[in-house]
Amino acid sequence: MNFINLMKVAIKAIANNKFRSFLSMLGIIIGVAAVIVMMAIGQGSKESIRQNIAQMGSNIIMIRPGADKGMGGVKQDPSSMQTLKEEDYEAIKNEAKYVTYVSPEVTSSGQCINGNNNTSSTMYGESTEYLDIKQWEVTSGSVFSDEDIKKAAKVCIVGKTVVDELFPDGQDPIGKTIRFKSIPFRIIGVLKSKGYNSFGMDQDNLIIAPYTTVMKRLTAQTYLSSINCSAITEDMTDDAISELTSILHEQHKIKDDGEDDFTIRSQQEMMETMSSTMDTVTLILVVAAAFSLLVAGIGIMNIMLVSVTERTKEIGLRMSVGARGIDISNQFLIESIIISVTGGILGIALGALLSTGANLLFGLPTSVPMWSIVVSFIVCTIIGIGFGYFPARKAARMDPIEAIRYE
């Protein structure tokens, strides 16, 4: 019996038991759809994180106080978190050749008030180069000057969320005075909105002021919380890190074999770490979803065994008129593959639809990679062959005479 005839017989057998065939497909449909959705969410989240980090600047370098103890490291003494000074910032600014912009950073969180309106926010004390490092744009007003930094002027630039909360009536905030921890600050600029990032953080809920102002008038500290830098190009990031390490070693009198009292991290490292984490999470979710495919395969094998039993007499008749064991085996294998692959195709379509729905309705970043569709199709074919083999083998080994007599 040729392949075309086998296909016709298999399709006819499936059509004669539509509901049972659909129930056999249902497990495959749900399993493949689950795998596609998990992959789409994982891939979409990873791409979204990459885009957010890239928007902040892929050549950003962050210097933090304290040694790098890694995950689960020993808690450090508070004094070890006060190792970065203004002198370090000045040295980097004057000596670093692989760095284009540098800004010291001091932060303070608290209540921000304007009349009867108030909101919680964070004030970042920075230099004039901070906006260049973070790729922020000012939509109205201006940026504070070096003179403001020298005088520790009480001026600030605010994000859109702060404007919306403190000026709900739509007033122009430029020139208005707000109070942060009871200290008055005059708004001189408003930042362009960036919205929420992949971690669910509101990037517009911030206030930027001269770092000297925050240090002297808010925190009363003599050390820096961190130093942000920008390498000339992304390719020069490693050279910039080496240069910054050398400068800080000299500033802090650290010998080559000594332990650093600072930690340097780049956006590239963050991107690689987050991508690796998302890959692991996606793999776990996909493996969990893939178990439903295993259950679906067992369901197909069970249905095919029932089908073989029900069609015992038909098998005997086919054998009696010349059908070989290989023909009978191929017929049931083709039926199993058709059920599995059809279920896979419907599962892929459902998965793509659910992924799009998750993006439109819940705002989840999703992206269905083409390779996941190809892999799903291959897996469904393998399931059809693997779980259809035993029933097909059982049908092929039947004795024609006993099969015909079967009631």
Side-chain angles (χ1 to χ4, degrees), residues 230-350:
S230 179
I232 296 174
T233 63
E234 187 177 340
D235 295 335
M236 294 183 178
T237 299
D238 290 338
D239 293 324
I241 290 175
S242 297
E243 184 180 54
L244 291 169
T245 302
S246 178
I247 292 172
L248 291 175
H249 276 177
E250 186 176 343
Q251 283 291 118
H252 296 188
K253 305 294 189 291
I254 299 174
K255 297 181 180 179
D256 292 338
D257 57 348
E259 184 180 16
D260 292 344
D261 58 0
F262 58 88
T263 303
I264 300 179
R265 287 284 180 268
S266 68
Q267 291 286 63
Q268 288 177 316
E269 288 182 81
M270 285 181 59
M271 194 177 294
E272 290 169 3
T273 301
M274 291 306 302
S275 293
S276 176
T277 302
M278 288 307 303
D279 285 341
T280 302
V281 172
T282 302
L283 179 62
I284 293 171
L285 293 174
V286 169
V287 168
F291 274 105
S292 61
L293 285 176
L294 178 63
V295 174
I298 294 172
I300 289 176
M301 183 170 67
N302 184 46
I303 292 296
M304 293 305 298
L305 284 170
V306 171
S307 180
V308 168
T309 302
E310 287 180 349
R311 293 157 64 186
T312 299
K313 184 170 286 189
E314 175 193 332
I315 293 169
L317 288 171
R318 288 185 182 280
M319 286 184 169
S320 66
V321 294
R324 298 168 299 168
I326 188 67
D327 296 324
I328 301 297
S329 175
N330 287 341
Q331 177 188 332
F332 283 92
L333 263 181
I334 290 171
E335 285 184 33
S336 176
I337 292 171
I338 289 174
I339 290 173
S340 182
V341 171
T342 303
I345 293 171
L346 293 174
I348 290 169
L350 179 61

Side-chain angles (χ1 to χ4, degrees), residues 125-235:
E126 307 288 348
S127 74
T128 55
E129 297 180 355
Y130 181 72
L131 299 188
D132 294 308
I133 296 172
K134 293 290 186 177
Q135 298 182 4
W136 279 102
E137 294 180 27
V138 174
T139 56
S140 62
S142 60
V143 183
F144 51 81
S145 63
D146 290 330
E147 189 65 25
D148 291 326
I149 293 176
K150 288 179 183 179
K151 294 179 178 178
K154 292 181 283 187
V155 295
C156 67
I157 307 167
V158 295
K160 189 175 183 302
T161 298
V162 176
V163 173
D164 292 341
E165 293 291 334
L166 299 185
F167 302 93
D169 53 358
Q171 289 184 61
D172 183 4
I174 304 300
K176 300 291 192 302
T177 298
I178 59 175
R179 303 184 76 82
F180 187 88
K181 288 188 173 180
S182 301
I183 306 297
F185 283 85
R186 181 169 56 87
I187 299 175
I188 61 172
V190 177
L191 294 167
K192 182 179 179 180
S193 176
K194 283 192 175 183
Y196 286 83
N197 61 19
S198 296
F199 311 105
M201 295 175 61
D202 185 359
Q203 300 178 90
D204 299 323
N205 187 17
L206 82 166
I207 304 170
I208 302 174
Y211 73 93
T212 50
T213 307
V214 178
M215 290 178 73
K216 295 176 182 179
R217 302 183 187 277
L218 287 177
T219 61
Q221 66 186 55
T222 57
Y223 57 91
L224 304 175
S225 301
S226 62
I227 300 175
N228 294 310
C229 306
S230 179
I232 296 174
T233 63
E234 187 177 340
D235 295 335

Side-chain angles (χ1 to χ4, degrees), residues 12 52 84 89 121 130 217 339 350 372 387:
K12 184 178 179 181
N52 281 329
L84 293 180
Y89 157 64
S121 187
Y130 181 72
R217 302 183 187 277
I339 290 173
L350 179 61
S372 69
F387 289 95

